[in-house]
Amino acid sequence: MIVIMRAGASEKEIEGVLAHLRERELTPHISRGVQRTVIGVLGPVGPTGVAGALGGNITPELGPALEGLDGVEQVVEVSKPYKLASREFHPEPTVIRVASPDGDVLVGGREVVMMAGPCTVESGEQLLAAARAAKSGGAKILRGGAYKPSTSPYGFRGLGVAGLELLAQARAETGLATITEVMTPAEVELVCGYADILQIGARNMQNYYLLDEVGRTRKPVMLKRGLSATIEEWLLAAEYILSQGNPNVMLCERGIRTFERMTRNTVDINAVPLVKQLSHLPVIVDPSQGTGKRSLVASVSLAAVAAGADGLLVEIHPHPDAALKDGAQSLQLGQYAELMPRMRAVARAVGRA
Amino acid sequence: MIVIMRAGASEKEIEGVLAHLRERELTPHISRGVQRTVIGVLGPVGPTGVAGALGGNITPELGPALEGLDGVEQVVEVSKPYKLASREFHPEPTVIRVASPDGDVLVGGREVVMMAGPCTVESGEQLLAAARAAKSGGAKILRGGAYKPSTSPYGFRGLGVAGLELLAQARAETGLATITEVMTPAEVELVCGYADILQIGARNMQNYYLLDEVGRTRKPVMLKRGLSATIEEWLLAAEYILSQGNPNVMLCERGIRTFERMTRNTVDINAVPLVKQLSHLPVIVDPSQGTGKRSLVASVSLAAVAAGADGLLVEIHPHPDAALKDGAQSLQLGQYAELMPRMRAVARAVGRA
Amino acid sequence: MIVIMRAGASEKEIEGVLAHLRERELTPHISRGVQRTVIGVLGPVGPTGVAGALGGNITPELGPALEGLDGVEQVVEVSKPYKLASREFHPEPTVIRVASPDGDVLVGGREVVMMAGPCTVESGEQLLAAARAAKSGGAKILRGGAYKPSTSPYGFRGLGVAGLELLAQARAETGLATITEVMTPAEVELVCGYADILQIGARNMQNYYLLDEVGRTRKPVMLKRGLSATIEEWLLAAEYILSQGNPNVMLCERGIRTFERMTRNTVDINAVPLVKQLSHLPVIVDPSQGTGKRSLVASVSLAAVAAGADGLLVEIHPHPDAALKDGAQSLQLGQYAELMPRMRAVARAVGRA
Amino acid sequence: MIVIMRAGASEKEIEGVLAHLRERELTPHISRGVQRTVIGVLGPVGPTGVAGALGGNITPELGPALEGLDGVEQVVEVSKPYKLASREFHPEPTVIRVASPDGDVLVGGREVVMMAGPCTVESGEQLLAAARAAKSGGAKILRGGAYKPSTSPYGFRGLGVAGLELLAQARAETGLATITEVMTPAEVELVCGYADILQIGARNMQNYYLLDEVGRTRKPVMLKRGLSATIEEWLLAAEYILSQGNPNVMLCERGIRTFERMTRNTVDINAVPLVKQLSHLPVIVDPSQGTGKRSLVASVSLAAVAAGADGLLVEIHPHPDAALKDGAQSLQLGQYAELMPRMRAVARAVGRA
């Protein structure tokens, strides 16, 4: 950590910073320039623990605390605040095994994995039609929401357990693995009983009790990036899950919120290669949420694969016009069938399967 | 609701929209321009209810569904999606009674209410020093976090129940009402036993289970605006709480995330008068989170009062340099004491007390 | 255009809107719902012309003016504000012929066109080395800045005319067409004498005098999207050039500014297919500016081609470490040589050449 | 400047950085931590000058160049990139004298200066009515656009010279000083002949030729913040003008672009005290552009004064309903008259006149 003092900071102010560091058993290294003094801090990056027990570690609170001291202009973190999620700590890419009736599906390996299905489970018929189409197009994983976040309290919030049951039936019938959202700690155990991958939605990316809870399971978890989460915050949210002992975390870029409102969100395509450089975790892209427009889903899917995504999460629906939720961004089954060979061609062109 | 068709949309596409509306027992009004056809939809705005039961209402899902139909260019909502939170429905400003040992504190009335205290409860000594200073400066409500969201899993997450106990002691000792954050549905009952106002943090603004749960209590709730929540989404989150039967909701503008990173957040000062026009709920401003810099807190506090805020939420700390969390944005007790008369002068200048 | 009145707007307020429209010789269509009145406006979309001459047209100022009338809640534009740039007006894709010593290069046709070269012309040697590598990799167009925008007044602002001369020499030597930035109306004629494509930089996207001036030439123009320009504003800037009579406009997505600062900008990959649906103009992507990081350029280049871009603008440099400007985002010549066959593979996979 | 190497950067990579610095006659200071090596760079911050002449200075291009070297993770600038605009260099606040027929108006002193008038000069009658109201309310400066940026090429672009003439007449008649926008270098001299303050609009904040040109005059310049300009970029734009020798620069916060679209822009109220800490230049706030809604202008004006603004730029119009441009954000003359005493009360409350 590097503390940059204001130009003209007084000796007393500099001494204040040094004292703050020494109290925490940290070793400051001072270097005085013509205009400014800069103080380097060495020490292992470590947890805060219980109140007061800060000794000897560069804790997450140290930087903000130093920024508040008199005479300090800026504090620069030198070490990354996440560890288990980082490539530095874990150079090999993580490959996650997802159980399915047809055998394990590997996420993060050579194959680009397609996850397809309706936004929301509406009925057995709807789900099964989508599941069959998903499978015949080449998907390995069936998506479908039983618990749905709704911006309005008057909106549809999912079928709940009945939806989970339908998902389990479609799984048995088609052999596909399943992914579904879990929204609150109290439901994690229940959802674990039905689904092969737990999805943490964008609005819950910083719901820390929920992250802790899914971290205590060993189920694969797909962690969606928050609407306005920086890449660092996203990796820190993954670190929550990893630090509870669950190594099976995949990340999902689903578009961020920007000033552009002609699309629902803005897919941050830069994040795909960047996160793969910073982290060993697999990266999935959701072009349905990411664009909000059916007419853009195919192009952005192909772009995601070309950029190096390990998988796609795509909404498909047998009758998007009659969908209860998000029909405007769901592909018709025929459009999905048409996309799949194009996706395979791009995957091959970038050396994936 | 108004459906704008693409220029050159076919008769079949127009008919598709009309059929979609008629199936839902809604009455379309068609108007054909030179270039485009526009379809108006009448009907009460209403809830979705259980799957399938969509008849006769303009539900939250209708607009997105229509946008996905062939030939549709854009859908414009004419009615506001929130009702209980709106001025249209409830023209008189809401004044919330907050219980305190010294008698009720009114939020949303003529008086601008100061809520002050440390970001985080660290010890009885720290809290009591802050509470006494808060009171002697004129604050009516003591803030202090017992459960703290931490971006990093290695950070300090609060003293928990012990922190709530300290808060209750400081309340008894000073006569101040208290506000503290609640982070998960399972802890709502516990926190209700200690605090006078429940705070929903920015990261939890769309934690719908939590909103439901605090909506089932009758405790005053302060709902912070999410980092990238639009004003409409914020009011819809308030609507969650109101629609569960709890009318005691106050809103807190605490800065939004923008491209500018020299400050921690950007206080959306426009939102203060705008939300007061759209809604009858009281609006509080948090200049500490909103700026992240102690040196900006006083100026932005004064601005918030001048803009019409009903209260301020300010972090103060007896020793900000030694604060466990957010010391850089906490006022020293002396700075707070200095600010209070200036705040009163501005309040008087805009006709408040 | 549709004017949505506030719930409970008075008859006098409604009459005020009607009068405003009639004064401008526009025909209002009124429709009264249970809660709100909605007023439709018919009439051709047209220019404002000289002050006062507003009659009979829906002008660009009409919407904002109506929004200011008493009782008006919202105004919705039904027609697109741009015409010459739109697909509706011009359904066939525009293919632009760029002159080069080796014959015409077509931008917007079946072939994905590579434009490569240094950010800034530094010397004849540097430019020629880059130009030869560009050509041997398959680029058709050489980029190189002679006039450079610099955020700081103390930074390097380009070699000026000497840079243009070097560009012309490299053109003659290699047979490549050239593209270079023009920053002010007074230099348009000069730059036209040297370059085959005029580049309008992101900071100048709304420099209307400059747009007018390049619109008066018939040179191909590449219009970069402004840092925070919406897609609609971008197309309106193109409309400036087109409406002066120059049909040779290509658009360049170069990343927008968002809250994420780990990359220099955020490439809006959604914009590539969306702009191609809204407009007939070719779309180029600049992954160098768009990411700011050399290590991301290849992946984002491939993504852009997969998403349907008509060309790429990539910075390459014989010695990026010694580059005067933007070395961190410039590919080394070897990296560029390696990228080109991968790009061709992806182009083929999506049916392009 | 501090260069932070990647964890595990090789000796060769470290040596590469050192060599890069030594070539530029800069002195590196190396410090090796357990995980990372950090290299400090001393040397005066200075201009780039002509290509190649980089020796001994930390130039604006150095940081980006270092970031591109192998093994470098991050580069941190220690010194501020602007000098003439900074408080460090110029601790006393700048007070600008603006000539007016009634005597000099001081901007940046104890008095909060009101600049009021129509967005656009439309006619002598309109301008004079606004000017008289402005003056009688207490404004010292009359605003009015003769050259107007229009997002659409079909919109109204101002009366040009005729507008300047009307402005000069209103000045003579009322004794008010005048401010008007200048949009291109070629018109600077012309506009100087008519106006007392030159306004650089938000879209032109990085039009460097224009900044240079107004920098060569000695006229007071009001520099609006760009739509998505960081505070640092804004101050660097001011530095362009200052470094040409014109010390009379005032800054104008006019709202930034964010995800919130219910208001036209988001006034960055934090920027008011922050810029006054970083810089000695006066800060003006434009609540009309900053909100886009007449109903918010008064509250945000009061907030700006409370936050420490040195002046306000407010749009007023005798008949906003008939305004050619931006009527929706213009105050009626009566509303303005009502606002002024409230503004004076707030100014007094914060110790201003």
Side-chain angles (χ1 to χ4, degrees):
Chain A
M1 182 168 293
I2 293 165
V3 183
I4 301 170
M5 303 300 292
R6 289 219 175 84
S10 70
E11 276 310 304
K12 209 184 130 200
E13 288 170 338
I14 293 169
E15 187 44 47
V17 173
L18 300 177
H20 189 97
L21 294 169
R22 288 193 201 106
E23 262 169 49
R24 279 149 193 78
E25 297 166 37
L26 291 159
T27 314
H29 291 255
I30 192 162
S31 106
R32 291 167 193 274
V34 187
Q35 275 204 303
R36 275 164 220 272
T37 295
V38 168
I39 301 168
V41 188
L42 293 180
V45 176
T48 306
V50 292
L54 292 154
N57 277 342
I58 296 183
T59 66
E61 288 81 14
L62 182 63
L66 290 168
E67 257 176 11
L69 299 189
D70 289 342
V72 172
E73 178 149 313
Q74 196 190 348
V75 174
V76 181
E77 312 271 355
V78 169
S79 299
K80 295 215 170 65
Y82 46 87
K83 184 182 163 196
L84 304 176
S86 76
R87 276 267 179 200
E88 290 179 9
F89 173 80
H90 186 308
E92 288 308 301
T94 283
V95 179
I96 298 174
R97 277 176 191 282
V98 178
S100 92
D102 286 358
D104 284 358
V105 179
L106 302 183
V107 179
R110 204 171 156 263
E111 196 182 342
V112 179
V113 175
M114 176 54 99
M115 312 181 182
C119 168
T120 306
V121 178
E122 297 169 13
S123 71
E125 225 170 308
Q126 168 243 23
L127 184 63
L128 208 58
R132 283 183 182 138
K135 178 151 195 180
S136 88
K140 296 288 172 65
I141 296 170
L142 174 65
R143 59 161 294 162
Y147 298 96
K148 296 300 299 177
S150 161
T151 308
S152 162
Y154 308 123
F156 181 55
R157 297 172 72 176
L159 294 181
V161 181
L164 294 177
E165 295 279 4
L166 293 174
L167 211 54
Q169 288 166 22
R171 180 184 194 270
E173 197 119 357
T174 58
L176 293 168
T178 58
I179 178 169
T180 201
E181 182 162 353
V182 58
M183 287 177 64
T184 199
E187 286 172 355
V188 168
E189 200 183 326
L190 174 74
V191 177
C192 276
Y194 289 93
D196 300 303
I197 309 178
L198 304 175
Q199 176 178 317
I200 304 292
R203 291 172 179 91
N204 279 318
M205 192 201 85
Q206 294 189 315
N207 183 335
Y208 301 121
Y209 285 72
L210 182 58
L211 300 179
D212 284 344
E213 194 65 28
V214 302
R216 282 182 210 112
T217 75
R218 293 300 172 267
K219 278 271 176 190
V221 175
M222 190 180 75
L223 178 66
K224 288 197 152 190
R225 181 178 183 182
L227 240 74
S228 63
T230 62
I231 288 172
E232 189 169 296
E233 289 166 344
W234 189 19
L235 291 173
L236 278 165
E239 189 86 3
Y240 259 90
I241 304 172
L242 297 168
S243 67
Q244 289 290 347
N246 186 347
N248 301 307
V249 179
M250 53 191 100
L251 301 165
C252 178
E253 163 64 36
R254 44 74 74 204
I256 56 174
R257 180 160 279 179
T258 69
F259 62 83
E260 178 61 67
R261 302 308 295 267
M262 212 183 260
T263 48
R264 187 167 173 176
N265 292 295
T266 299
V267 169
D268 182 1
I269 197 78
N270 296 354
V272 176
L274 181 53
V275 169
K276 291 198 67 74
Q277 287 165 20
L278 295 172
S279 177
H280 52 93
L281 300 172
V283 176
I284 312 297
V285 172
D286 176 347
S288 306
Q289 281 288 333
T291 64
K293 280 182 195 291
R294 187 186 302 146
S295 68
L296 305 178
V297 169
S299 297
V300 174
S301 294
L302 301 176
V305 173
D310 295 301
L312 293 178
L313 183 76
V314 173
E315 294 180 17
I316 64 175
H317 196 289
H319 306 289
D321 293 2
L324 266 173
K325 252 188 127 82
D326 286 346
Q329 66 197 33
S330 295
L331 293 183
Q332 294 158 358
L333 303 185
Q335 293 172 321
Y336 163 76
E338 220 169 77
L339 168 62
M340 290 304 288
R342 297 172 67 203
M343 202 190 104
R344 276 191 285 270
V346 172
R348 271 193 308 269
V350 295
R352 302 288 287 262
Chain B
M1 182 167 291
I2 293 164
V3 183
I4 301 169
M5 303 299 294
R6 290 219 175 83
S10 70
E11 277 309 306
K12 209 184 131 200
E13 288 169 337
I14 293 169
E15 189 42 49
V17 172
L18 299 177
H20 188 98
L21 293 169
R22 287 191 202 109
E23 262 170 50
R24 277 146 194 82
E25 297 166 35
L26 292 160
T27 314
H29 291 256
I30 191 161
S31 107
R32 291 168 193 274
V34 188
Q35 275 203 303
R36 277 164 220 270
T37 295
V38 168
I39 300 168
V41 189
L42 294 180
V45 175
T48 306
V50 291
L54 292 153
N57 277 342
I58 295 183
T59 64
E61 287 81 14
L62 182 64
L66 290 168
E67 258 176 10
L69 299 190
D70 289 342
V72 173
E73 177 148 314
Q74 196 190 347
V75 174
V76 181
E77 312 272 355
V78 169
S79 299
K80 296 214 170 65
Y82 46 88
K83 184 183 164 195
L84 305 176
S86 76
R87 276 267 178 197
E88 290 180 7
F89 175 80
H90 187 307
E92 288 307 301
T94 284
V95 179
I96 299 174
R97 276 176 193 283
V98 178
S100 90
D102 285 358
D104 284 358
V105 179
L106 302 184
V107 179
R110 202 168 159 265
E111 195 183 340
V112 178
V113 176
M114 176 55 97
M115 313 181 182
C119 169
T120 306
V121 177
E122 297 169 14
S123 71
E125 225 170 307
Q126 167 243 23
L127 184 64
L128 208 57
R132 283 183 183 137
K135 178 150 196 182
S136 88
K140 296 288 172 66
I141 296 169
L142 173 65
R143 58 160 295 161
Y147 298 95
K148 296 300 301 177
S150 160
T151 308
S152 162
Y154 308 122
F156 181 54
R157 297 174 72 176
L159 294 181
V161 181
L164 294 176
E165 295 279 3
L166 293 174
L167 211 53
Q169 287 166 23
R171 179 184 193 271
E173 198 120 356
T174 59
L176 293 167
T178 57
I179 178 169
T180 200
E181 182 161 355
V182 59
M183 287 177 64
T184 199
E187 286 170 356
V188 169
E189 201 184 326
L190 174 75
V191 177
C192 276
Y194 289 92
D196 301 303
I197 308 178
L198 304 175
Q199 175 178 315
I200 304 292
R203 293 173 177 90
N204 278 319
M205 193 201 84
Q206 295 189 314
N207 183 335
Y208 300 121
Y209 285 73
L210 181 58
L211 300 180
D212 284 344
E213 195 65 27
V214 301
R216 282 183 210 112
T217 75
R218 292 300 171 269
K219 277 272 177 191
V221 176
M222 190 180 76
L223 178 67
K224 289 198 152 188
R225 182 178 183 182
L227 240 75
S228 63
T230 62
I231 288 172
E232 189 169 296
E233 289 166 345
W234 190 18
L235 291 173
L236 279 165
E239 188 87 2
Y240 259 91
I241 303 172
L242 297 168
S243 66
Q244 289 290 346
N246 186 348
N248 301 307
V249 179
M250 52 191 102
L251 301 165
C252 178
E253 164 64 35
R254 42 75 74 205
I256 56 174
R257 181 162 278 180
T258 69
F259 62 82
E260 178 61 67
R261 303 308 295 266
M262 212 183 259
T263 48
R264 186 165 172 178
N265 292 296
T266 299
V267 169
D268 182 1
I269 197 79
N270 296 353
V272 177
L274 181 53
V275 168
K276 291 198 67 73
Q277 288 165 19
L278 295 171
S279 177
H280 52 92
L281 301 172
V283 176
I284 312 297
V285 171
D286 176 346
S288 306
Q289 280 288 333
T291 63
K293 279 182 196 290
R294 187 185 303 145
S295 67
L296 306 178
V297 169
S299 297
V300 174
S301 294
L302 300 175
V305 173
D310 296 300
L312 293 178
L313 183 77
V314 172
E315 295 180 17
I316 64 174
H317 197 287
H319 307 290
D321 294 2
L324 266 173
K325 254 189 126 82
D326 287 346
Q329 67 197 33
S330 295
L331 293 183
Q332 294 158 359
L333 303 185
Q335 294 172 322
Y336 162 77
E338 222 170 76
L339 168 63
M340 291 303 288
R342 298 173 66 201
M343 202 190 105
R344 275 191 285 270
V346 172
R348 271 193 308 268
V350 296
R352 302 288 287 263
Chain C
M1 182 168 295
I2 293 165
V3 183
I4 301 169
M5 303 300 293
R6 289 219 175 83
S10 70
E11 276 310 305
K12 209 185 130 200
E13 288 170 337
I14 293 169
E15 187 44 48
V17 172
L18 299 177
H20 189 97
L21 293 170
R22 287 192 202 107
E23 263 170 47
R24 278 148 193 81
E25 298 165 36
L26 291 160
T27 314
H29 290 256
I30 191 161
S31 105
R32 290 167 194 274
V34 188
Q35 275 204 303
R36 276 163 220 272
T37 295
V38 167
I39 301 167
V41 189
L42 293 181
V45 176
T48 306
V50 291
L54 291 154
N57 277 341
I58 296 182
T59 65
E61 287 82 13
L62 182 63
L66 290 168
E67 257 175 12
L69 299 189
D70 287 343
V72 173
E73 179 149 313
Q74 195 189 348
V75 174
V76 181
E77 311 270 355
V78 170
S79 298
K80 296 214 169 67
Y82 46 87
K83 185 181 164 196
L84 305 176
S86 77
R87 275 268 179 199
E88 290 179 9
F89 174 80
H90 186 309
E92 288 307 302
T94 284
V95 179
I96 298 174
R97 277 176 191 281
V98 178
S100 91
D102 285 357
D104 284 359
V105 179
L106 302 184
V107 179
R110 202 166 160 267
E111 195 182 344
V112 179
V113 176
M114 176 55 98
M115 313 181 182
C119 170
T120 306
V121 178
E122 298 170 13
S123 70
E125 224 169 308
Q126 168 243 25
L127 184 63
L128 208 58
R132 283 183 182 137
K135 178 150 196 183
S136 88
K140 294 289 172 63
I141 296 169
L142 174 65
R143 58 161 293 163
Y147 298 95
K148 296 300 301 177
S150 161
T151 307
S152 163
Y154 309 122
F156 181 55
R157 297 172 74 175
L159 294 181
V161 181
L164 294 177
E165 295 278 3
L166 293 175
L167 211 54
Q169 287 165 24
R171 180 185 193 271
E173 197 119 356
T174 58
L176 292 168
T178 58
I179 178 170
T180 201
E181 182 163 353
V182 58
M183 288 176 64
T184 200
E187 286 171 355
V188 169
E189 200 184 327
L190 173 75
V191 177
C192 276
Y194 289 93
D196 300 303
I197 308 178
L198 304 175
Q199 176 179 317
I200 304 291
R203 291 174 178 89
N204 279 318
M205 193 201 84
Q206 294 189 315
N207 183 335
Y208 300 122
Y209 285 74
L210 181 58
L211 300 180
D212 284 344
E213 194 65 28
V214 301
R216 282 182 210 113
T217 74
R218 292 300 171 268
K219 277 272 176 189
V221 175
M222 189 179 75
L223 178 67
K224 288 198 153 189
R225 183 178 182 182
L227 239 74
S228 63
T230 63
I231 288 173
E232 189 169 296
E233 290 166 344
W234 190 18
L235 290 173
L236 278 164
E239 189 87 3
Y240 260 91
I241 304 173
L242 297 168
S243 67
Q244 290 290 348
N246 186 347
N248 301 308
V249 178
M250 54 190 100
L251 300 164
C252 178
E253 164 64 36
R254 44 76 74 204
I256 56 175
R257 180 162 279 181
T258 69
F259 62 83
E260 179 61 67
R261 302 308 294 268
M262 212 182 259
T263 48
R264 186 166 175 177
N265 293 296
T266 299
V267 169
D268 181 359
I269 196 79
N270 295 355
V272 176
L274 181 53
V275 169
K276 291 200 64 77
Q277 287 165 20
L278 294 171
S279 176
H280 52 92
L281 300 172
V283 176
I284 312 298
V285 172
D286 176 346
S288 306
Q289 279 289 332
T291 63
K293 280 181 195 290
R294 188 186 302 147
S295 67
L296 306 178
V297 169
S299 297
V300 174
S301 294
L302 300 176
V305 173
D310 296 301
L312 293 178
L313 183 76
V314 173
E315 295 180 17
I316 64 175
H317 196 288
H319 307 289
D321 293 2
L324 266 173
K325 251 188 128 83
D326 286 346
Q329 67 197 32
S330 295
L331 293 183
Q332 295 158 359
L333 303 185
Q335 294 173 320
Y336 163 77
E338 221 169 76
L339 168 62
M340 290 303 288
R342 297 173 66 203
M343 201 190 106
R344 275 190 285 269
V346 172
R348 270 193 309 268
V350 295
R352 301 288 286 262
Chain D
M1 182 168 294
I2 293 165
V3 183
I4 301 169
M5 303 299 294
R6 290 219 174 84
S10 69
E11 276 309 306
K12 209 184 131 200
E13 288 169 337
I14 293 169
E15 189 42 50
V17 173
L18 300 177
H20 188 96
L21 294 169
R22 287 192 201 108
E23 261 169 49
R24 278 149 193 80
E25 296 165 38
L26 292 159
T27 314
H29 290 256
I30 192 160
S31 106
R32 292 166 193 274
V34 188
Q35 275 203 303
R36 276 163 221 272
T37 295
V38 167
I39 300 168
V41 188
L42 293 180
V45 175
T48 307
V50 292
L54 292 154
N57 278 341
I58 295 183
T59 65
E61 287 81 14
L62 182 64
L66 290 168
E67 256 176 12
L69 300 191
D70 289 343
V72 173
E73 179 149 311
Q74 196 190 346
V75 174
V76 182
E77 311 271 355
V78 170
S79 299
K80 296 214 170 65
Y82 46 87
K83 185 182 164 196
L84 304 176
S86 76
R87 276 268 180 201
E88 289 178 11
F89 174 80
H90 186 308
E92 289 307 302
T94 284
V95 179
I96 299 175
R97 276 175 193 282
V98 178
S100 91
D102 285 358
D104 284 358
V105 179
L106 301 184
V107 179
R110 202 165 160 267
E111 195 182 343
V112 178
V113 175
M114 175 55 97
M115 312 181 182
C119 169
T120 306
V121 178
E122 297 170 14
S123 70
E125 224 170 310
Q126 168 244 23
L127 185 62
L128 208 56
R132 283 181 182 139
K135 177 149 196 184
S136 88
K140 296 289 172 65
I141 296 169
L142 173 66
R143 57 161 293 162
Y147 298 94
K148 296 300 300 177
S150 161
T151 308
S152 162
Y154 308 123
F156 180 54
R157 297 173 73 176
L159 294 181
V161 181
L164 294 177
E165 296 277 4
L166 293 174
L167 211 54
Q169 288 165 23
R171 180 184 194 271
E173 198 119 356
T174 58
L176 292 167
T178 58
I179 177 169
T180 201
E181 182 163 354
V182 59
M183 288 177 63
T184 200
E187 285 170 357
V188 169
E189 200 184 327
L190 173 75
V191 177
C192 276
Y194 288 93
D196 300 302
I197 308 177
L198 304 175
Q199 174 178 319
I200 303 292
R203 292 174 177 90
N204 278 318
M205 193 201 84
Q206 294 188 315
N207 184 335
Y208 300 121
Y209 286 72
L210 181 58
L211 300 180
D212 284 344
E213 194 65 27
V214 301
R216 283 182 210 115
T217 75
R218 291 301 171 267
K219 277 273 175 190
V221 176
M222 190 179 75
L223 178 66
K224 288 197 152 190
R225 182 178 182 182
L227 240 74
S228 63
T230 63
I231 289 173
E232 188 169 297
E233 290 166 345
W234 190 17
L235 291 173
L236 279 165
E239 188 87 3
Y240 259 91
I241 304 172
L242 297 167
S243 67
Q244 290 289 347
N246 186 348
N248 302 307
V249 179
M250 52 191 102
L251 300 165
C252 178
E253 164 63 37
R254 42 76 73 205
I256 56 174
R257 180 161 278 182
T258 68
F259 63 83
E260 179 60 68
R261 302 308 294 267
M262 211 183 260
T263 48
R264 185 166 174 178
N265 293 296
T266 300
V267 170
D268 182 0
I269 197 78
N270 296 354
V272 177
L274 181 53
V275 168
K276 291 200 63 78
Q277 287 165 20
L278 295 171
S279 177
H280 52 92
L281 300 172
V283 175
I284 312 297
V285 171
D286 176 348
S288 306
Q289 280 288 333
T291 63
K293 279 182 196 291
R294 187 186 303 146
S295 68
L296 306 178
V297 169
S299 297
V300 174
S301 294
L302 300 176
V305 173
D310 296 300
L312 292 178
L313 183 76
V314 172
E315 295 180 16
I316 64 175
H317 196 287
H319 307 289
D321 293 3
L324 267 173
K325 253 188 126 84
D326 286 345
Q329 67 197 33
S330 295
L331 293 183
Q332 295 157 0
L333 302 186
Q335 294 173 320
Y336 163 77
E338 222 170 76
L339 169 62
M340 291 302 290
R342 299 173 66 203
M343 202 190 106
R344 276 190 285 269
V346 172
R348 270 193 308 269
V350 295
R352 302 287 288 261

